[in-house]
Amino acid sequence: MDKKVQELLNQQVNKEFYSAYLYLDFSVYLSDIGMAGFGNWYKVQAQEERDHAMLFLQYLQNNGVKPELTAIDKPAIALTDTKTVLDETLKHEQYVTSLINDIYEAAHSVKDYRTMQFLDWFVKEQGEEEMNAGDLIKKYELFGSDAKGLYMLDSELGARVYSAPSLVL
């Protein structure tokens, strides 16, 4: 495997674990301010991100590369309200999309078709992640100022359950 592709994939393991940590931080904050449904949504999101990290890690191992685990940074976003969390989520997902695109570009430049095929699932997943983050913002903007609407949205988000990704390596 090309050294640059290998390095970017390894960095992505850490970035995905950071995403899990960030969303767990969001979950704790939202639950603490009484938004248990939102907190649940982010707890499930954290589980997804952890699994994404594990998929990258397993891909590296499947290709004879020993992953190098590094420290996970503490999230440094000042959480002041629910809307801030939602806006930061969309920004973060756009950032992760750019990281996936960078790996894809590096793999393409060295004709690493196997890695490109592996990344195809993540490209699609990031489209869904950005759409979900945008949808949450829209729903919050529609219902956030109405107590009953916000209660129903929080209840809807509280019903989300985790399901592991179905990517086959």
Side-chain angles (χ1 to χ4, degrees):
M1 180 181 291
D2 177 76
K3 288 288 185 198
K4 178 164 175 81
V5 172
Q6 178 180 324
E7 180 182 305
L8 291 171
L9 287 166
N10 201 76
Q11 288 173 6
Q12 194 63 30
V13 171
N14 182 271
K15 299 291 186 182
E16 296 291 342
F17 278 129
Y18 173 80
S19 294
Y21 202 45
L22 177 67
Y23 290 151
L24 193 55
D25 190 44
F26 289 175
S27 173
V28 168
Y29 170 78
L30 291 162
S31 295
D32 194 47
I33 65 168
M35 304 293 284
F38 279 84
N40 174 69
W41 194 92
Y42 278 98
K43 192 176 288 181
V44 171
Q45 198 64 25
Q47 291 172 301
E48 278 191 15
E49 302 301 342
R50 180 206 59 218
D51 280 355
H52 294 169
M54 296 302 290
L55 289 168
F56 278 99
L57 187 140
Q58 188 63 54
Y59 181 77
L60 286 167
Q61 289 179 313
N62 289 354
N63 285 278
V65 177
K66 181 181 180 216
E68 181 185 333
L69 301 177
T70 58
I72 300 169
D73 293 332
K74 180 181 193 268
I77 297 170
L79 303 177
T80 56
D81 56 42
T82 304
K83 182 70 165 64
T84 300
V85 172
L86 301 178
D87 290 339
E88 290 296 330
T89 300
L90 180 57
K91 283 186 352 191
H92 183 73
E93 289 302 338
Q94 290 167 336
Y95 168 68
V96 172
T97 297
S98 75
L99 296 172
I100 300 295
N101 290 343
D102 289 347
I103 303 168
Y104 202 98
E105 186 177 317
H108 183 265
S109 73
V110 294
K111 299 182 179 181
D112 182 349
Y113 302 114
R114 185 177 355 167
T115 297
M116 290 165 58
Q117 183 180 27
F118 167 72
L119 292 171
D120 284 342
W121 184 87
F122 288 96
V123 170
K124 181 178 181 246
E125 176 72 5
Q126 281 310 120
E128 291 173 12
E129 297 288 12
E130 286 186 34
M131 183 184 70
N132 290 339
D135 286 349
L136 266 181
I137 291 170
K138 288 176 191 170
K139 286 179 180 180
Y140 186 79
E141 288 173 345
L142 283 171
F143 306 118
S145 60
D146 174 62
K148 289 179 186 174
L150 184 57
Y151 175 80
M152 292 189 67
L153 178 57
D154 190 58
S155 295
E156 175 188 323
L157 297 176
R160 183 182 187 200
V161 294
Y162 178 69
S163 96
S166 58
L167 177 64
V168 177
L169 299 178

